[in-house]
Amino acid sequence: KIFWLNGIAGTGKSTVSETVFRALSESKTLGAYFTCRRDETSLHNPLNVLPTISYQLAIANPSYGQALLQTLKADPSFEMSLGYIVSQRSKLFTEPIGTHSLTNSPTGFLVIIVDALDE
């Protein structure tokens, strides 16, 4: 399920995102959080979004982390360039999730927050 918070600049979307982030962290249902920033090289590169989310999910869910590790060990040289975002999605999410559940939270789900995606 996807919830997309949309609005013009300065209306408080990031404040809402940070508030939700804190609440999910406390309830152990936060899977990953990524915030995009135009002024920071590592936070505006699209190649960093999926690997960062994958890494955070691996920390939040050790079962997924083990599945991710096995997937990456099987093909350690898969492409991480912009033309290979589909490959990133497959290797970092589709393959590991296909064999393991992403949920070890009390509610049975984990939430991923991506803030300022338009940046």
Side-chain angles (χ1 to χ4, degrees), residues 1-42:
K1 296 179 181 181
I2 296 175
F3 174 76
W4 189 288
L5 182 58
N6 188 8
I8 60 174
T11 58
K13 297 179 302 295
S14 290
T15 301
V16 170
S17 174
E18 291 168 15
T19 302
V20 171
F21 163 81
R22 277 189 235 103
L24 293 172
S25 293
E26 290 173 9
S27 68
K28 307 284 189 226
T29 55
L30 180 68
Y33 179 85
F34 189 91
T35 185
C36 303
R37 298 273 189 254
R38 261 178 243 229
D39 55 350
E40 287 189 45
T41 305
S42 65

Short mmCIF file of all heavy atoms in Angstrom, two decimals, residues 1-42:
data_model
loop_
_atom_site.label_atom_id
_atom_site.label_comp_id
_atom_site.label_asym_id
_atom_site.label_seq_id
_atom_site.Cartn_x
_atom_site.Cartn_y
_atom_site.Cartn_z
N LYS A 1 0.85 -1.17 0.00
CA LYS A 1 0.00 0.00 0.00
C LYS A 1 0.89 1.23 0.00
O LYS A 1 1.93 1.26 0.65
CB LYS A 1 -0.90 0.00 1.22
CG LYS A 1 -1.87 -1.16 1.24
CD LYS A 1 -2.72 -1.13 2.47
CE LYS A 1 -3.64 -2.33 2.46
NZ LYS A 1 -4.52 -2.37 3.60
N ILE A 2 0.46 2.25 -0.70
CA ILE A 2 1.23 3.49 -0.80
C ILE A 2 0.36 4.66 -0.36
O ILE A 2 -0.80 4.78 -0.76
CB ILE A 2 1.70 3.74 -2.25
CG1 ILE A 2 2.67 2.63 -2.67
CG2 ILE A 2 2.35 5.10 -2.38
CD1 ILE A 2 3.09 2.72 -4.12
N PHE A 3 0.93 5.51 0.49
CA PHE A 3 0.30 6.76 0.86
C PHE A 3 1.21 7.87 0.36
O PHE A 3 2.38 7.92 0.71
CB PHE A 3 0.12 6.87 2.38
CG PHE A 3 -0.40 8.22 2.79
CD1 PHE A 3 -1.74 8.54 2.62
CD2 PHE A 3 0.44 9.17 3.34
CE1 PHE A 3 -2.23 9.78 2.99
CE2 PHE A 3 -0.03 10.42 3.72
CZ PHE A 3 -1.37 10.72 3.55
N TRP A 4 0.70 8.72 -0.48
CA TRP A 4 1.48 9.80 -1.08
C TRP A 4 0.97 11.12 -0.54
O TRP A 4 -0.16 11.52 -0.83
CB TRP A 4 1.33 9.74 -2.60
CG TRP A 4 2.26 10.64 -3.34
CD1 TRP A 4 2.19 12.01 -3.42
CD2 TRP A 4 3.38 10.26 -4.11
NE1 TRP A 4 3.21 12.49 -4.20
CE2 TRP A 4 3.96 11.42 -4.64
CE3 TRP A 4 3.96 9.03 -4.42
CZ2 TRP A 4 5.08 11.40 -5.45
CZ3 TRP A 4 5.08 9.02 -5.22
CH2 TRP A 4 5.62 10.19 -5.73
N LEU A 5 1.79 11.82 0.23
CA LEU A 5 1.44 13.13 0.76
C LEU A 5 1.93 14.18 -0.23
O LEU A 5 3.12 14.28 -0.49
CB LEU A 5 2.09 13.34 2.13
CG LEU A 5 1.77 14.65 2.85
CD1 LEU A 5 0.26 14.80 3.07
CD2 LEU A 5 2.51 14.68 4.18
N ASN A 6 1.00 14.93 -0.78
CA ASN A 6 1.31 15.86 -1.86
C ASN A 6 0.90 17.27 -1.44
O ASN A 6 -0.11 17.46 -0.77
CB ASN A 6 0.53 15.43 -3.11
CG ASN A 6 0.91 16.21 -4.34
OD1 ASN A 6 1.85 16.98 -4.34
ND2 ASN A 6 0.17 15.99 -5.40
N GLY A 7 1.69 18.25 -1.83
CA GLY A 7 1.35 19.64 -1.54
C GLY A 7 2.44 20.56 -2.02
O GLY A 7 3.54 20.13 -2.36
N ILE A 8 2.14 21.85 -2.04
CA ILE A 8 3.14 22.82 -2.50
C ILE A 8 4.24 22.98 -1.44
O ILE A 8 4.05 22.65 -0.28
CB ILE A 8 2.49 24.18 -2.85
CG1 ILE A 8 1.78 24.78 -1.63
CG2 ILE A 8 1.53 24.03 -4.01
CD1 ILE A 8 1.26 26.19 -1.87
N ALA A 9 5.37 23.51 -1.88
CA ALA A 9 6.52 23.72 -0.99
C ALA A 9 6.13 24.57 0.21
O ALA A 9 5.38 25.55 0.07
CB ALA A 9 7.66 24.37 -1.77
N GLY A 10 6.63 24.19 1.36
CA GLY A 10 6.41 24.98 2.57
C GLY A 10 5.13 24.69 3.32
O GLY A 10 4.81 25.40 4.28
N THR A 11 4.38 23.67 2.92
CA THR A 11 3.11 23.39 3.59
C THR A 11 3.24 22.42 4.76
O THR A 11 2.24 22.11 5.40
CB THR A 11 2.07 22.85 2.58
OG1 THR A 11 2.58 21.67 1.97
CG2 THR A 11 1.72 23.89 1.54
N GLY A 12 4.46 21.92 5.02
CA GLY A 12 4.66 21.06 6.20
C GLY A 12 4.73 19.58 5.91
O GLY A 12 4.61 18.78 6.84
N LYS A 13 4.92 19.19 4.67
CA LYS A 13 4.99 17.76 4.35
C LYS A 13 6.15 17.08 5.08
O LYS A 13 6.00 15.99 5.62
CB LYS A 13 5.13 17.54 2.84
CG LYS A 13 3.94 18.04 2.03
CD LYS A 13 4.12 17.84 0.55
CE LYS A 13 5.35 18.49 -0.03
NZ LYS A 13 5.39 19.96 0.02
N SER A 14 7.30 17.74 5.13
CA SER A 14 8.46 17.15 5.82
C SER A 14 8.23 17.08 7.32
O SER A 14 8.67 16.13 7.98
CB SER A 14 9.74 17.95 5.52
OG SER A 14 10.12 17.75 4.17
N THR A 15 7.53 18.04 7.87
CA THR A 15 7.20 18.00 9.30
C THR A 15 6.30 16.81 9.59
O THR A 15 6.50 16.08 10.57
CB THR A 15 6.51 19.31 9.73
OG1 THR A 15 7.40 20.39 9.46
CG2 THR A 15 6.16 19.29 11.20
N VAL A 16 5.32 16.58 8.73
CA VAL A 16 4.44 15.41 8.88
C VAL A 16 5.27 14.13 8.77
O VAL A 16 5.14 13.22 9.59
CB VAL A 16 3.30 15.42 7.83
CG1 VAL A 16 2.55 14.10 7.83
CG2 VAL A 16 2.36 16.58 8.08
N SER A 17 6.15 14.09 7.80
CA SER A 17 7.02 12.92 7.59
C SER A 17 7.86 12.63 8.83
O SER A 17 7.98 11.48 9.26
CB SER A 17 7.91 13.16 6.37
OG SER A 17 8.83 12.14 6.21
N GLU A 18 8.45 13.65 9.40
CA GLU A 18 9.29 13.47 10.59
C GLU A 18 8.47 13.05 11.80
O GLU A 18 8.92 12.24 12.61
CB GLU A 18 10.07 14.76 10.87
CG GLU A 18 11.13 15.03 9.82
CD GLU A 18 11.72 16.43 9.89
OE1 GLU A 18 11.53 17.13 10.92
OE2 GLU A 18 12.38 16.82 8.92
N THR A 19 7.27 13.55 11.92
CA THR A 19 6.39 13.16 13.02
C THR A 19 6.00 11.69 12.88
O THR A 19 6.04 10.93 13.86
CB THR A 19 5.13 14.04 13.05
OG1 THR A 19 5.53 15.40 13.19
CG2 THR A 19 4.19 13.65 14.18
N VAL A 20 5.65 11.29 11.67
CA VAL A 20 5.31 9.88 11.42
C VAL A 20 6.53 9.00 11.66
O VAL A 20 6.43 7.93 12.26
CB VAL A 20 4.75 9.70 9.98
CG1 VAL A 20 4.60 8.25 9.63
CG2 VAL A 20 3.42 10.43 9.84
N PHE A 21 7.71 9.46 11.23
CA PHE A 21 8.96 8.74 11.46
C PHE A 21 9.15 8.45 12.95
O PHE A 21 9.44 7.32 13.33
CB PHE A 21 10.13 9.56 10.90
CG PHE A 21 11.47 9.15 11.40
CD1 PHE A 21 12.12 8.05 10.84
CD2 PHE A 21 12.11 9.84 12.41
CE1 PHE A 21 13.37 7.66 11.29
CE2 PHE A 21 13.35 9.46 12.87
CZ PHE A 21 13.99 8.36 12.31
N ARG A 22 9.00 9.47 13.78
CA ARG A 22 9.18 9.28 15.23
C ARG A 22 8.17 8.28 15.80
O ARG A 22 8.53 7.42 16.59
CB ARG A 22 9.07 10.62 15.96
CG ARG A 22 10.36 11.39 15.94
CD ARG A 22 10.32 12.62 16.85
NE ARG A 22 10.67 13.77 16.02
CZ ARG A 22 9.84 14.66 15.54
NH1 ARG A 22 8.57 14.59 15.81
NH2 ARG A 22 10.26 15.65 14.78
N ALA A 23 6.92 8.41 15.40
CA ALA A 23 5.89 7.50 15.91
C ALA A 23 6.15 6.07 15.48
O ALA A 23 6.01 5.13 16.28
CB ALA A 23 4.51 7.96 15.43
N LEU A 24 6.54 5.88 14.22
CA LEU A 24 6.82 4.52 13.74
C LEU A 24 8.06 3.93 14.38
O LEU A 24 8.12 2.73 14.64
CB LEU A 24 6.96 4.53 12.22
CG LEU A 24 5.70 4.86 11.42
CD1 LEU A 24 6.02 5.02 9.95
CD2 LEU A 24 4.64 3.79 11.64
N SER A 25 9.04 4.77 14.64
CA SER A 25 10.25 4.30 15.33
C SER A 25 9.91 3.78 16.71
O SER A 25 10.38 2.72 17.12
CB SER A 25 11.28 5.43 15.46
OG SER A 25 11.79 5.80 14.21
N GLU A 26 9.09 4.52 17.43
CA GLU A 26 8.69 4.12 18.78
C GLU A 26 7.87 2.84 18.77
O GLU A 26 7.99 2.01 19.67
CB GLU A 26 7.90 5.24 19.46
CG GLU A 26 8.76 6.44 19.80
CD GLU A 26 7.95 7.62 20.31
OE1 GLU A 26 6.73 7.46 20.57
OE2 GLU A 26 8.53 8.71 20.42
N SER A 27 7.03 2.66 17.75
CA SER A 27 6.18 1.47 17.70
C SER A 27 6.85 0.29 17.00
O SER A 27 6.24 -0.76 16.82
CB SER A 27 4.86 1.79 17.00
OG SER A 27 5.10 2.05 15.62
N LYS A 28 8.11 0.46 16.60
CA LYS A 28 8.90 -0.60 15.95
C LYS A 28 8.30 -1.04 14.62
O LYS A 28 8.44 -2.19 14.20
CB LYS A 28 9.06 -1.82 16.86
CG LYS A 28 9.61 -1.51 18.22
CD LYS A 28 11.07 -1.27 18.17
CE LYS A 28 11.63 -1.18 19.57
NZ LYS A 28 12.52 -0.11 19.80
N THR A 29 7.63 -0.13 13.92
CA THR A 29 7.08 -0.45 12.60
C THR A 29 7.77 0.31 11.48
O THR A 29 7.36 0.21 10.33
CB THR A 29 5.56 -0.17 12.55
OG1 THR A 29 5.32 1.17 12.92
CG2 THR A 29 4.79 -1.12 13.46
N LEU A 30 8.82 1.07 11.81
CA LEU A 30 9.57 1.76 10.78
C LEU A 30 10.56 0.79 10.15
O LEU A 30 11.41 0.22 10.82
CB LEU A 30 10.33 2.96 11.35
CG LEU A 30 11.14 3.74 10.33
CD1 LEU A 30 10.22 4.46 9.34
CD2 LEU A 30 12.05 4.74 11.01
N GLY A 31 10.42 0.60 8.84
CA GLY A 31 11.35 -0.25 8.11
C GLY A 31 12.53 0.54 7.59
O GLY A 31 13.68 0.11 7.67
N ALA A 32 12.26 1.73 7.04
CA ALA A 32 13.33 2.55 6.48
C ALA A 32 12.84 3.98 6.30
O ALA A 32 11.64 4.23 6.15
CB ALA A 32 13.79 1.98 5.14
N TYR A 33 13.81 4.91 6.29
CA TYR A 33 13.50 6.32 6.11
C TYR A 33 14.58 6.92 5.22
O TYR A 33 15.78 6.76 5.49
CB TYR A 33 13.48 7.04 7.46
CG TYR A 33 13.20 8.52 7.38
CD1 TYR A 33 11.89 8.98 7.33
CD2 TYR A 33 14.23 9.44 7.35
CE1 TYR A 33 11.62 10.34 7.27
CE2 TYR A 33 13.96 10.81 7.28
CZ TYR A 33 12.65 11.24 7.24
OH TYR A 33 12.38 12.59 7.17
N PHE A 34 14.19 7.57 4.16
CA PHE A 34 15.14 8.26 3.29
C PHE A 34 14.58 9.63 2.99
O PHE A 34 13.42 9.76 2.62
CB PHE A 34 15.34 7.50 1.97
CG PHE A 34 16.47 8.05 1.14
CD1 PHE A 34 17.75 7.54 1.29
CD2 PHE A 34 16.26 9.06 0.23
CE1 PHE A 34 18.81 8.04 0.53
CE2 PHE A 34 17.29 9.58 -0.53
CZ PHE A 34 18.57 9.06 -0.38
N THR A 35 15.40 10.65 3.17
CA THR A 35 14.98 12.00 2.82
C THR A 35 15.89 12.53 1.73
O THR A 35 17.10 12.42 1.82
CB THR A 35 14.96 12.93 4.05
OG1 THR A 35 14.43 14.19 3.66
CG2 THR A 35 16.32 13.11 4.65
N CYS A 36 15.31 13.04 0.70
CA CYS A 36 16.07 13.60 -0.43
C CYS A 36 16.38 15.06 -0.13
O CYS A 36 15.57 15.76 0.45
CB CYS A 36 15.25 13.49 -1.71
SG CYS A 36 14.74 11.82 -2.10
N ARG A 37 17.57 15.49 -0.55
CA ARG A 37 17.98 16.88 -0.37
C ARG A 37 18.78 17.31 -1.58
O ARG A 37 19.76 16.68 -1.94
CB ARG A 37 18.88 17.03 0.87
CG ARG A 37 18.23 16.67 2.17
CD ARG A 37 17.49 17.85 2.75
NE ARG A 37 17.04 17.56 4.10
CZ ARG A 37 15.79 17.32 4.42
NH1 ARG A 37 14.86 17.32 3.51
NH2 ARG A 37 15.45 17.06 5.66
N ARG A 38 18.33 18.40 -2.20
CA ARG A 38 19.02 18.93 -3.38
C ARG A 38 20.46 19.35 -3.09
O ARG A 38 21.34 19.23 -3.92
CB ARG A 38 18.30 20.16 -3.90
CG ARG A 38 17.41 19.90 -5.04
CD ARG A 38 16.71 21.19 -5.39
NE ARG A 38 15.31 20.95 -5.16
CZ ARG A 38 14.36 21.23 -6.02
NH1 ARG A 38 14.64 21.85 -7.13
NH2 ARG A 38 13.13 20.94 -5.77
N ASP A 39 20.69 19.87 -1.90
CA ASP A 39 21.99 20.45 -1.57
C ASP A 39 23.01 19.44 -1.04
O ASP A 39 24.13 19.82 -0.72
CB ASP A 39 21.82 21.60 -0.59
CG ASP A 39 21.07 21.19 0.67
OD1 ASP A 39 20.51 20.09 0.71
OD2 ASP A 39 21.04 21.99 1.62
N GLU A 40 22.65 18.17 -0.93
CA GLU A 40 23.59 17.15 -0.47
C GLU A 40 23.72 16.07 -1.55
O GLU A 40 22.74 15.41 -1.89
CB GLU A 40 23.11 16.52 0.83
CG GLU A 40 23.26 17.44 2.02
CD GLU A 40 22.98 16.73 3.33
OE1 GLU A 40 23.48 15.60 3.52
OE2 GLU A 40 22.26 17.32 4.15
N THR A 41 24.92 15.90 -2.04
CA THR A 41 25.17 14.99 -3.16
C THR A 41 24.63 13.59 -2.89
O THR A 41 23.96 13.00 -3.74
CB THR A 41 26.68 14.91 -3.46
OG1 THR A 41 27.16 16.23 -3.69
CG2 THR A 41 26.95 14.05 -4.67
N SER A 42 24.90 13.03 -1.73
CA SER A 42 24.48 11.66 -1.46
C SER A 42 22.97 11.53 -1.29
O SER A 42 22.43 10.43 -1.40
CB SER A 42 25.19 11.13 -0.21
OG SER A 42 24.79 11.87 0.92
#
